Amino acid sequence: EVGFWDVAAIGWRCKLDLKLISALIERWRPEKHTFHLPCGDCTITLKDVQLQLRLSVDGSALTGSVQSVDWEAICYDLLGAILYNIYGGYLMSNLSRNLIHLRWLLKLVDFRAVGEFSWGFAVLATLYREMCGTTPPNKAKIGGCLSLLQSRARFRFPFLRPRVNHPYTFPLIMRWNHPASSVGIPTALEDIQLLLDQRSEAQIPYEDSPIRAVIPDEFFQNPHIWHVKVPLVNYATVEIY
């Protein structure tokens, strides 16, 4: 129900193009939460989160108190071992890119309630915050779900796409998790920067019939949720959408 099975399948096969990520972050405007490009401003939306990652964007906020929590006891009760970080972060990893905070265990205690949370809100809030924090020139590391940023850019801008021959699948981010998904794309940072600055052609993502055909109808039952004006909440992280 939550979509974690798909996320697990995506995470271990995802290959990031760090030069593309860097070129996109250079064009991020924290005051507007948008990328400033010749074709106009654009951003990552709740629709992107839901269709790319198959995560819920309609539910309770992921928040709560983590004060006075006995983390050792929580870890031992749930995992049978005492840890101080959880390895293998993908959706909301920290600057190390492979660790996440133990607070997420608190939301996984009752599997029946996991689907009641808006995990998509938390993922997007984290990515917004990480991109805003990385725009200063002295910042070299970034956390968050960077594969979402990369995939969204490839769906939006045809000139950034690798050549792939396999059909679309859902969730849509799986499009690029393929051995041939690095063929035919610019590899130098300067080339990517030049393309973003000089080429203006862009597509409205997800409108092509081959893409629409693989998206389950249930994801279009409440499209208004993609266009709300709300704060995105992830514990102490709050970003305006």
Side-chain angles (χ1 to χ4, degrees), residues 162-179:
R163 291 195 299 267
V164 292
N165 297 319
H166 55 280
Y168 289 98
T169 55
F170 192 78
L172 297 176
I173 200 172
M174 298 293 287
R175 178 73 173 168
W176 320 115
N177 284 15
H178 191 272

Side-chain angles (χ1 to χ4, degrees), residues 137-195:
N138 61 334
K139 298 294 184 180
K141 293 183 178 181
I142 184 173
C145 190
L146 298 181
S147 61
L148 172 62
L149 169 59
Q150 174 175 280
S151 183
R152 207 291 185 176
R154 288 175 172 176
F155 271 92
R156 176 77 174 178
F157 304 109
F159 53 84
L160 296 177
R161 297 174 187 169
R163 291 195 299 267
V164 292
N165 297 319
H166 55 280
Y168 289 98
T169 55
F170 192 78
L172 297 176
I173 200 172
M174 298 293 287
R175 178 73 173 168
W176 320 115
N177 284 15
H178 191 272
S181 291
S182 59
V183 178
I185 58 175
T187 56
L189 176 60
E190 294 79 7
D191 292 339
I192 299 173
Q193 292 170 326
L194 194 62
L195 284 172

Side-chain angles (χ1 to χ4, degrees), residues 222-239:
N222 184 22
H224 301 294
I225 193 68
W226 300 329
H227 307 290
V228 294
K229 296 181 179 180
V230 293
L232 301 171
V233 178
N234 177 3
Y235 281 89
T237 298
V238 180
E239 296 290 337

Side-chain angles (χ1 to χ4, degrees), residues 51-140:
L51 300 186
Q52 294 275 356
L53 296 173
R54 198 173 190 162
L55 291 177
S56 171
V57 296
D58 188 7
S60 301
L62 278 153
T63 187
S65 175
V66 294
Q67 300 294 325
S68 304
V69 175
D70 188 342
W71 294 114
E72 293 186 358
I74 290 288
C75 283
Y76 190 80
D77 287 345
L78 298 178
L79 303 178
I82 297 176
L83 305 173
Y84 294 95
N85 281 291
I86 300 177
Y87 289 90
Y90 174 69
L91 292 177
M92 289 166 280
S93 58
N94 63 13
L95 295 180
S96 71
R97 299 293 313 141
N98 68 349
L99 298 174
I100 61 173
H101 197 280
L102 287 170
R103 63 175 175 261
W104 299 112
L105 282 179
L106 301 176
K107 302 303 183 183
L108 302 176
V109 173
D110 184 358
F111 280 173
R112 295 169 298 181
V114 171
E116 299 175 1
F117 295 110
S118 181
W119 293 93
F121 268 51
V123 169
L124 193 53
T126 301
L127 184 56
Y128 277 6
R129 176 63 59 89
E130 290 292 332
M131 289 193 293
C132 290
T134 314
T135 50
N138 61 334
K139 298 294 184 180

